[in-house]
Amino acid sequence: MINQLLKNYMGLRPDDIFINYHNKDITYSSMAYALESRIKSMQAININKDSIIGIYMDNNLDLLEILFACIEIQAIPLIIPSTFKSKEIDDVCHHVSFDYFITNWNNSENLPKRDIPIFPIEELSPGIGGCAPSQSTNFNSKQTACLLLTSGTMGTPKIAQISIGNIIANCNAWNKIIHFNQNDVYFNCLPLHHIGGLSIIFRALLFGFKVILADKFDKNFSIQEMIQHQTNIVSLVPTMLSRIVESKPNKNLAKMLRAVILGGSDCRKNL
């Protein structure tokens, strides 16, 4: 699925920007090469169809590349929030039988002492670069794309199984409201372990717009990035919007935005 979508853009708009991360532009072509490199490195350590992978990394390109590779080879990834510590991850392990963890050296010490192989991202083949993408596997809408943790702020996280069909339906539903186009620039400061942040990436894959990816929400950084990249769509939670509004940003920001998508909780009327 992912490989085929990227290849479609490579044929039509190979040099167009898919993601900007830390002011580095990642084109559809470079992401396709990165994906192929990650797939080969993961298959070399016996990660294959139906392998359950715990991805424990920060909001960054490495995480996206590993997630895409898992979906492409039909492994089952679960993105563990990087804020989780050993006990919280161990609680998740009681509900999910992980075959492997993929993390980085800095975060690996937080993983619980279990008999689960751990592969630091630094020891896998590098992403951006690599070989020409191969032919994509056929998929069906019922295939599991990933597992997500829900209700983590209110109690014990629950496991939600997200299918390819769920993702496509979500993207199409929002497209009927927002009418995405390839000139859109979408600022994403939501966590990728949450459906809100993750779905933005898949909307970009399906509808061909550019995503400005942030590690996390920071009021001043977010305002700066949105203005610098002439963002016209952003997804936030009410607390984020409140902090942005209270800072009284440049009026040009409000003029640039054609859509502000809110979720997570009720929004005050004065916002």
Side-chain angles (χ1 to χ4, degrees):
M1 172 189 173
I2 307 296
N3 207 345
Q4 188 58 55
L5 287 169
L6 290 170
K7 285 170 62 181
N8 289 344
Y9 290 120
M10 286 175 65
L12 299 171
R13 301 153 46 201
D15 298 323
D16 279 11
I17 309 305
F18 172 35
I19 292 174
N20 178 283
Y21 178 68
H22 286 197
N23 285 322
K24 179 179 180 180
D25 287 333
I26 309 301
T27 65
Y28 293 108
S29 297
S30 59
M31 181 56 79
Y33 295 141
L35 173 58
E36 187 66 17
S37 177
R38 294 298 192 193
I39 288 172
K40 290 182 177 179
S41 66
M42 289 167 65
Q43 289 178 327
I45 55 175
N46 295 318
I47 294 177
N48 292 296
K49 181 179 179 181
D50 297 329
S51 298
I52 302 178
I53 314 300
I55 304 175
Y56 182 52
M57 291 187 285
D58 296 324
N59 243 44
N60 57 33
L61 284 176
D62 286 336
L63 187 157
L64 274 182
E65 291 168 8
I66 295 299
L67 174 70
F68 286 170
C70 284
I71 295 173
E72 193 68 16
I73 63 180
Q74 301 183 51
I76 303 173
L78 189 156
I79 304 174
I80 302 169
S82 60
T83 54
F84 275 24
K85 301 304 181 184
S86 181
K87 183 182 183 307
E88 295 166 299
I89 300 172
D90 195 53
D91 288 342
V92 175
C93 291
H94 286 299
H95 302 282
V96 181
S97 300
F98 291 109
D99 295 302
Y100 304 92
F101 282 124
I102 297 180
T103 183
N104 51 35
W105 285 325
N106 291 336
N107 287 339
S108 60
E109 62 186 22
N110 289 327
L111 290 171
K113 305 303 181 184
R114 284 176 168 263
D115 189 23
I116 301 173
I118 299 172
F119 293 100
I121 189 73
E122 294 88 351
E123 296 179 8
L124 297 177
S125 297
I128 298 301
C131 315
S134 62
Q135 294 296 316
S136 181
T137 308
N138 291 324
F139 292 88
N140 64 69
S141 62
K142 295 181 180 179
Q143 178 197 326
T144 299
C146 62
L147 305 176
L148 294 178
L149 298 174
T150 65
S151 303
T153 58
M154 300 299 291
T156 303
K158 301 177 181 64
I159 311 299
Q161 182 173 316
I162 309 299
S163 70
I164 296 292
N166 294 148
I167 290 173
I168 293 173
N170 175 279
C171 293
N172 287 333
W174 276 108
N175 187 48
K176 289 180 180 179
I177 299 169
I178 306 298
H179 304 294
F180 299 115
N181 66 76
Q182 66 185 46
N183 296 317
D184 286 328
V185 180
Y186 203 134
F187 182 69
N188 186 7
C189 58
L190 299 178
L192 297 174
H193 65 257
H194 189 276
I195 190 62
L198 192 59
S199 60
I200 293 169
I201 303 300
F202 286 102
R203 291 171 203 163
L205 272 174
L206 285 173
F207 303 114
F209 55 75
K210 179 166 73 174
V211 173
I212 311 302
L213 180 64
D215 296 304
K216 59 183 179 180
F217 175 76
D218 175 272
K219 176 188 65 179
N220 294 327
F221 176 79
S222 297
I223 293 170
Q224 176 186 324
E225 286 285 282
M226 285 191 282
I227 292 174
Q228 176 184 339
H229 295 283
Q230 297 185 311
T231 298
N232 65 347
I233 306 176
V234 62
S235 287
L236 302 167
V237 298
T239 302
M240 295 175 179
L241 178 61
S242 178
R243 291 176 182 173
I244 290 174
V245 171
E246 288 169 1
S247 70
K248 298 180 180 179
N250 189 308
K251 292 181 179 179
N252 288 333
L253 177 58
K255 293 178 181 178
M256 286 190 301
L257 289 170
R258 73 178 185 89
V260 177
I261 300 173
L262 290 180
S265 63
D266 294 335
C267 183
R268 300 197 317 265
K269 291 184 178 180
N270 64 338
L271 280 178

